[in-house]
Amino acid sequence: MKNRWIVPIAFLPLLGLVPMQAAGMEGTVMTTACLQPGAAAEKLLSPDGRICLTYSEVQGNGISFNLSYTGKQGQTEVMTLPYTGMQTRKGRGAGLRLERVDKPVHISENYTMLTGKRKVCSNEAEEYLFHFTDSLGKPFDMRVRLYDDGIAFRYELSGLDKDTPASELTTYRIAEGTRRWMQKFNLSYEDFFPMSETGEGENRHWGYPALIQAGEDVWALLSEADIDRMQSASSLMNDVLATDYRVVPAENDREITGDWHTPWRVAIVGSLKDVTESTLVTDVSRPSRLKDTSWIRPGSVSWIYWAYNRGSRDYQLVKQYIDMAAELKLPYVLIDWEWDIMGNGGTIEDALKYAAERNVHTLLWYNSSTAWTTNGAGGPLFKLNAPENREKEFAWLEEHGVAGVKIDFFEGDTEPTMEYCQDLLESAARHKLMVNFHGATIPRGWQRTYPNLMSVEAVYGAEWYNNAPVLTDKAAAHNATLPFTRNVVGPMDYTPCTFSDSQHPHITSHAHELALPVVFESGLQHWADKPESYLAQPEAVKTFMGQLPVAWDETRLVSGYPGDHVIMARRSGKQWYVGALNGKDTACSFQMDWSFLKEGRYRLTLFEDSGDKASPWKITEVTVDKGSLPGTLDGQPRGGFVAVVQPE
């Protein structure tokens, strides 16, 4: 992927554009009145008044913002945005002069999700439209929304004539000494989120999301949302000033005629609980484009690759994972790469038939054939690139009862790649196929627009036990960081919960591993260990695996701090699942807050670490009143627990 920039202060290529459509909103009231630039217009507030944007004009160059939040400790300055705006190759957007700001439009919206943190999502916002004139005398608009849990803004241009985005000025200024958890940019978004208090250092290119602790309990998470056609995704660079993180869109050479806008630039703001539970990324994304979603069924999946560091060319081994799925009552099996050259007693058609006979639904792997296509690249290759080939292949899958596809090894964040991903999602939906993107960019709201998108990798996950020894010592802290960073913005295919070892050992405890598919959210949850490892576990553990939901009615952060620990509670129906991770190499005491439960009696099943390697489980089943639920639970080094709480 190429990035290009014009040196003065913050210009880098915007590459991705879309016919201008606002995200669908219900209950919006429009007004034609406007606020004139000046004192009365300088302060913008969220509906609850806690988030404040103060703006001022930058001479001949648009406006700057100051973002603050009022929490338990009073008002905290979160960050400044010293520069905003963007330019095209033909000079649109240069020399912006603010003409007026429309009075706020109130947004009130409710929508449902098939996957994610909660089934029913609701949001309130105040939307302000800034009208500028550029140096060419052309209009340039900036749409700004203040939600109760963050801000979102985008740039809108009309009447483009074979023009192309050239650079973006948007800059987030993060003061030195501010704690931040940021990932070095790479095309697969597979790296750690180490804590730092400085922007200095060798690396100056960062991927989304970026977590910032602005105050004792004031946080912000930077990302973007609603990538449409003719748009690229972006990343952050602080190569000019260490404090100034510029939005850097990926390559886009598409000529645009007509109206166009950027994706939403998003900052989720509030307490750590607010940030973790936020649905702002989907709130600003377009509504579902699928009329019929009855065929989309989230669920757990048995997966072959992790345990053997190989694909699915061995029919006999594939049968073992189908049998495991059937025995554990997992609805799906993923038949991974190399299924097109399957042998040892059977072909892919035999495997599909074998799975169907055992009432196990199949998912099949494909190479996107845009990045790794030589030097040992796995197949099937070049099946999905041309529209006619893609339709033929997906029709074959539909005919054979395949439930979904995992598509791997994408080229990055460029506009052609973003368009290809949307082509894949739309074509898959026509053939009733769920989709899991691997080796791909992070979710940016497509899980709402295309609800057949069930999961995305874009994470340094358990697969890395195959590749390098690095994860062994870092996994516990990394796992306790992901709920506050990567998993906030969308589903995450980490491939959690393994009790044996792959090519490199893991030293997280059994209870820590069992908690991962509760703490981590994904519409398809892949169970990656060897069949004999899972089937050797106590009956209560195996029952838990078969019954664990992967789509949730409600999500609550009970407690946590990045890298230290996390306690996450998720509800499905009347049943709550609580997962806890200790990110430290020393023992801890988990402090429980059961306030998310109603008063009453509950049946509690508790999975803890025994501390005995020979007999690692401590499993407790009791019925108690809410007030008698444990207030503290002991955590082993790199340990955890799972609690299943069912009302009597």
Side-chain angles (χ1 to χ4, degrees):
M1 182 184 69
K2 294 179 284 184
N3 285 313
R4 60 181 183 275
W5 58 91
I6 303 169
V7 178
I9 293 197
F11 273 63
L12 256 172
L14 232 222
L15 342 150
L17 322 166
V18 171
M20 186 158 38
Q21 311 177 0
M25 296 170 287
E26 301 167 13
T28 300
V29 178
M30 303 298 290
T31 175
T32 57
C34 63
L35 302 171
Q36 294 303 316
E42 290 179 357
K43 183 177 289 188
L44 315 178
L45 295 173
S46 60
D48 65 5
R50 301 177 76 179
I51 295 176
C52 177
L53 268 183
T54 303
Y55 73 88
S56 57
E57 291 188 66
V58 178
Q59 187 64 36
N61 204 20
I63 55 177
S64 64
F65 287 105
N66 183 75
L67 173 61
S68 62
Y69 176 80
T70 301
K72 294 179 181 179
Q73 309 301 318
Q75 190 175 50
T76 298
E77 182 174 303
V78 178
M79 68 177 68
T80 59
L81 283 75
Y83 310 105
T84 59
M86 60 149 296
Q87 295 184 13
T88 70
R89 285 181 178 171
K90 292 186 175 181
R92 293 288 299 271
L96 293 179
R97 183 179 69 253
L98 181 61
E99 302 291 350
R100 70 184 191 280
V101 185
D102 289 351
K103 283 188 175 179
V105 172
H106 186 72
I107 295 170
S108 179
E109 185 187 19
N110 293 282
Y111 62 95
T112 59
M113 294 285 293
L114 298 179
T115 60
K117 301 171 191 176
R118 61 183 58 90
K119 182 177 181 180
V120 178
C121 301
S122 60
N123 61 75
E124 302 278 334
E126 300 294 339
E127 180 178 275
Y128 297 84
L129 189 59
F130 287 72
H131 297 278
F132 300 88
T133 300
D134 64 22
S135 58
L136 299 177
K138 301 289 187 179
F140 181 101
D141 291 343
M142 181 179 183
R143 191 175 300 271
V144 181
R145 293 184 188 170
L146 282 77
Y147 290 83
D148 288 338
D149 60 348
I151 66 168
F153 59 92
R154 71 185 189 190
Y155 308 116
E156 302 178 355
L157 291 84
S158 59
L160 295 176
D161 182 16
K162 295 183 178 180
D163 206 348
T164 306
S167 55
E168 183 158 341
L169 287 168
T170 307
T171 302
Y172 302 102
R173 180 165 289 166
I174 304 171
E176 285 289 276
T178 302
R179 286 190 171 192
R180 80 281 315 264
W181 289 258
M182 301 175 71
Q183 181 185 94
K184 293 179 182 178
F185 179 80
N186 64 64
L187 295 183
S188 64
Y189 288 78
E190 296 179 43
D191 211 329
F192 298 104
F193 289 85
M195 191 277 288
S196 176
E197 295 183 355
T198 179
E200 299 286 355
E202 283 187 25
N203 182 71
R204 294 298 182 92
H205 193 182
W206 309 92
Y208 294 121
L211 179 67
I212 299 154
Q213 185 177 12
E216 183 176 339
D217 195 29
V218 179
W219 300 74
L221 187 83
L222 303 178
S223 194
E224 66 180 348
D226 200 30
I227 305 289
D228 203 342
R229 294 180 182 276
M230 309 274 307
Q231 295 175 340
S232 66
S234 71
S235 54
L236 298 171
M237 293 188 79
N238 64 330
D239 55 336
V240 177
L241 292 175
T243 56
D244 288 11
Y245 293 81
R246 301 181 291 107
V247 172
V248 181
E251 190 68 35
N252 180 7
D253 293 320
R254 185 74 64 88
E255 287 189 345
I256 302 151
T257 296
D259 298 341
W260 175 84
H261 62 79
T262 66
W264 290 100
R265 311 307 181 203
V266 172
I268 303 172
V269 179
S271 68
L272 190 58
K273 177 181 173 66
D274 295 330
V275 169
T276 307
E277 298 177 9
S278 174
T279 58
L280 188 54
V281 168
T282 51
D283 291 346
V284 298
S285 295
R286 289 157 293 149
S288 172
R289 289 185 169 178
L290 308 187
K291 293 182 179 179
D292 175 22
T293 59
S294 61
W295 50 274
I296 301 173
R297 298 182 180 91
S300 290
V301 189
S302 69
W303 183 48
I304 193 172
Y305 172 79
W306 182 88
Y308 297 97
N309 196 24
R310 63 189 296 182
S312 299
R313 66 166 63 190
D314 188 331
Y315 175 64
Q316 301 304 324
L317 199 55
V318 170
K319 285 171 60 180
Q320 292 181 29
Y321 279 82
I322 295 171
D323 291 340
M324 181 188 86
E327 184 163 348
L328 293 174
K329 296 181 173 58
L330 309 181
Y332 300 108
V333 62
L334 172 62
I335 302 178
D336 214 272
W337 66 345
E338 299 181 321
W339 59 259
D340 56 329
I341 53 173
M342 189 181 295
N344 193 20
T347 64
I348 183 60
E349 285 83 1
D350 296 317
L352 296 177
K353 181 180 178 182
Y354 187 86
E357 290 170 350
R358 284 148 186 81
N359 198 30
V360 176
H361 302 282
T362 49
L363 311 170
L364 263 60
W365 184 98
Y366 285 85
N367 194 318
S368 82
S369 306
T370 60
W372 185 27
T373 59
T374 59
N375 300 322
L381 282 161
F382 303 110
K383 294 283 189 178
L384 307 179
N385 304 78
E388 61 275 15
N389 294 342
R390 179 164 59 244
E391 290 295 318
K392 179 180 178 182
E393 191 71 13
F394 285 171
W396 181 84
L397 295 177
E398 184 180 16
E399 179 185 348
H400 284 76
V402 173
V405 289
K406 172 184 173 181
I407 308 173
D408 211 339
F409 305 128
F410 285 89
E411 211 171 23
D413 290 342
T414 63
E415 183 272 335
T417 302
M418 297 298 95
E419 183 157 302
Y420 180 40
C421 288
Q422 291 170 87
D423 288 342
L424 290 167
L425 289 165
E426 292 179 1
S427 180
R430 285 193 289 272
H431 297 281
K432 294 181 169 55
L433 295 170
M434 299 182 294
V435 176
N436 177 11
F437 285 143
H438 259 235
T441 195
I442 60 166
R444 289 173 167 88
W446 284 340
Q447 61 268 36
R448 179 184 178 187
T449 310
Y450 302 102
N452 58 325
L453 177 61
M454 309 304 288
S455 195
V456 179
E457 187 184 22
V459 64
Y460 200 99
E463 181 181 314
W464 275 90
Y465 286 117
N466 272 312
N467 304 332
V470 178
L471 190 58
T472 297
D473 292 329
K474 290 189 174 184
H478 179 55
N479 294 344
T481 302
L482 291 173
F484 310 111
T485 51
R486 164 61 181 86
N487 213 186
V488 173
V489 300
M492 180 177 75
D493 192 12
Y494 179 98
T495 60
C497 189
T498 56
F499 303 124
S500 69
D501 288 333
S502 182
Q503 312 306 304
H504 301 280
H506 72 86
I507 56 176
T508 48
S509 75
H510 275 40
H512 182 111
E513 290 293 313
L514 192 67
L516 291 176
V518 177
V519 174
F520 296 162
E521 181 268 312
S522 177
L524 292 172
Q525 200 69 275
H526 288 76
W527 299 79
D529 207 347
K530 300 179 180 69
E532 57 267 30
S533 175
Y534 286 140
L535 298 176
Q537 301 307 314
E539 284 300 318
V541 174
K542 291 188 288 186
T543 299
F544 170 85
M545 292 175 61
Q547 295 180 353
L548 179 67
V550 301
W552 304 101
D553 294 317
E554 189 176 356
T555 292
R556 301 283 188 90
L557 175 65
V558 177
S559 175
Y561 190 87
D564 183 89
H565 79 283
V566 60
I567 305 175
M568 194 79 77
R570 301 189 191 270
R571 180 178 62 84
S572 175
K574 295 182 179 180
Q575 199 162 33
W576 283 90
Y577 293 79
V578 183
L581 306 175
N582 179 9
K584 302 188 299 295
D585 294 328
T586 56
C588 73
S589 178
F590 292 112
Q591 304 299 309
M592 278 305 303
D593 176 2
W594 299 99
S595 60
F596 56 88
L597 296 176
K598 298 178 181 178
E599 294 299 324
R601 288 182 64 77
Y602 290 89
R603 187 166 64 253
L604 170 68
T605 304
L606 188 61
F607 300 87
E608 299 177 273
D609 294 306
S610 69
D612 180 359
K613 288 186 178 181
S615 182
W617 290 108
K618 177 185 175 184
I619 302 174
T620 306
E621 297 184 63
V622 294
T623 299
V624 295
D625 291 326
K626 175 186 172 182
S628 298
L629 290 167
T632 61
L633 291 165
D634 294 332
Q636 298 289 324
R638 302 174 299 279
F641 74 79
V642 171
V644 183
V645 189
Q646 174 73 38
E648 279 285 284

